[in-house]
Amino acid sequence: MRNWFPIGLTILLVAGVAGLLTVAVRGALHDRDQVRGTVTVTGCTFEAYGRHGDTYLCRGRFAGPFDIPEVTFANLGELTAGTTVAAAVSGPGDTSADLVSEGYWRLVVTIGGSIALLVILVLVWRTRRHSARSGSLAR
């Protein structure tokens, strides 16, 4: 039973890394198809309470390779009118924007989480190998 623990943990950790990397790749592919520009905020309305901050639905004018009179986007916190944020849309007919910073944070969390899980995996196997060696020497 004891020998199955590292194998089971390895399967779980590898599945976690694969899941995180899938989120990172799919997000990067989505971001690649977006058109970047800026949104000048005209106002925000409260949408929901959150543990790490309240979510607001903000709106404003998108300016980039083309202009969109009004787009909306969710933001953690209220933005004052006139604030400019980097955003992306899928095309001239899109009325919902994604903040560029969300893509950066997604990469930080997914790549960082993958590295942390891989470090745990290496430590498990190093500890297992070390305990196996010291156990055979003690006999």
Side-chain angles (χ1 to χ4, degrees):
M1 181 77 143
R2 182 175 152 100
N3 291 333
W4 287 102
F5 175 74
I7 294 169
L9 186 60
T10 299
I11 291 169
L12 286 174
L13 292 175
V14 168
V17 169
L20 287 171
L21 292 179
T22 299
V23 169
V25 169
R26 291 182 74 180
L29 291 174
H30 171 75
D31 291 349
R32 183 182 68 178
D33 293 336
Q34 299 286 304
V35 178
R36 290 188 178 201
T38 59
V39 173
T40 303
V41 176
T42 56
C44 294
T45 55
F46 175 78
E47 188 171 82
Y49 292 108
R51 173 172 275 165
H52 301 291
D54 298 337
T55 302
Y56 287 81
L57 186 62
C58 299
R59 64 196 169 288
R61 180 178 198 83
F62 177 83
F66 46 82
D67 288 344
I68 303 174
E70 184 173 72
V71 295
T72 59
F73 61 93
N75 192 62
L76 192 60
E78 186 174 13
L79 297 172
T80 58
T83 302
T84 302
V85 294
V89 294
S90 62
D94 195 359
T95 58
S96 61
D98 296 321
L99 294 179
V100 172
S101 62
E102 289 176 5
Y104 296 137
W105 282 112
R106 182 182 55 247
L107 283 177
V108 167
V109 169
T110 56
I111 304 270
S114 296
I115 290 169
L117 290 176
L118 288 172
V119 166
I120 291 169
L121 183 61
V122 168
L123 291 174
V124 164
W125 282 98
R126 281 183 133 189
T127 303
R128 185 172 187 270
R129 187 180 329 157
H130 178 68
S131 65
R133 284 184 185 166
S134 63
S136 63
L137 293 175
R139 292 182 192 176

